[in-house]
Amino acid sequence: PTQKVIDAVKAGGFNTIRIPCAWDSHADKSNNVIDSKWFERVKKVVDYCYKNGLYVILNSHWDGGWLENNVKSDKQAEVNKKQSAYWKQIATFFRDYDHHLLFAGANEPGAGDPYGTPFGADRMAVLNSYHHTFIDAVRGTGGNNASRTLVIQGPKTNIELTYKVMTKMPTDKIAGRLMAEVHFYPYQ
């Protein structure tokens, strides 16, 4: 993205932009430390949006499926470790940005499951652990993150599935700063 692209979004009448962002492919696999040059690039794009007064939703996108493909109990500890490490870094880096910046903990969790495993209460419990890890990591960094609006995703971000198995929102230390996200693609 360039400033020109973001200017065009604003000129098109939008007031919010979602930045799908890969973090895992820009991190050292031995310690989960995200590359500082990547942070600077992401910051540049966020700043393009801020220059236009846009709200920004910064997420952790598919990125090889490290989270999306692994909403299952045997990967839960591994994913939560990475989720915590990444979001502590992201939140710390952007902690001084105001309420125009929102964080979204994932993209389409469970959608990348190549086996079509059913998504019931057991997998929802695993996904909720990923959401809690995200929320706690961000809130724990302080600054504006103590009250930043956070976005969590329903399973596969499928509206029907979310309604069926996501029967409550995760617990957050602050009221009114948590949003649920679903995606709807109107297939013909």
Side-chain angles (χ1 to χ4, degrees), residues 27-168:
D28 184 321
K29 300 301 182 262
S30 68
N31 59 13
N32 294 324
V33 172
I34 300 168
D35 180 53
S36 61
K37 290 179 184 171
W38 182 243
F39 268 120
E40 290 302 323
R41 176 63 182 136
V42 173
K43 178 186 182 309
K44 183 180 270 190
V45 177
V46 170
D47 290 345
Y48 292 157
C49 298
Y50 261 68
K51 181 178 176 186
N52 276 296
L54 295 168
Y55 284 88
V56 179
I57 302 170
L58 182 62
N59 83 347
S60 178
H61 214 67
W62 182 77
D63 202 13
W66 68 268
L67 187 147
E68 279 78 0
N69 291 355
N70 292 300
V71 182
K72 46 191 175 182
S73 58
D74 65 326
K75 295 290 187 174
Q76 189 172 359
E78 177 185 334
V79 171
N80 272 320
K81 180 180 178 183
K82 197 176 276 195
Q83 180 83 322
S84 179
Y86 291 163
W87 280 106
K88 283 178 182 175
Q89 293 169 75
I90 298 162
T92 298
F93 189 87
F94 289 103
R95 121 173 80 213
D96 295 329
Y97 281 69
D98 71 10
H99 70 281
H100 285 88
L101 179 62
L102 292 76
F103 294 143
N107 178 41
E108 295 180 340
D113 180 0
Y115 309 107
T117 309
F119 212 112
D122 57 336
R123 289 185 74 199
M124 191 63 227
V126 173
L127 178 55
N128 272 332
S129 79
Y130 299 166
H131 292 329
H132 281 287
T133 296
F134 160 66
I135 293 165
D136 292 345
V138 172
R139 295 286 182 241
T141 62
N144 289 329
N145 295 325
S147 62
R148 186 173 310 287
T149 299
L150 303 178
V151 184
I152 56 104
Q153 296 66 34
K156 301 184 181 186
T157 59
N158 175 293
I159 194 165
E160 289 91 4
L161 185 58
T162 298
Y163 179 75
K164 180 180 175 184
V165 300
M166 195 170 115
T167 57
K168 63 180 184 172

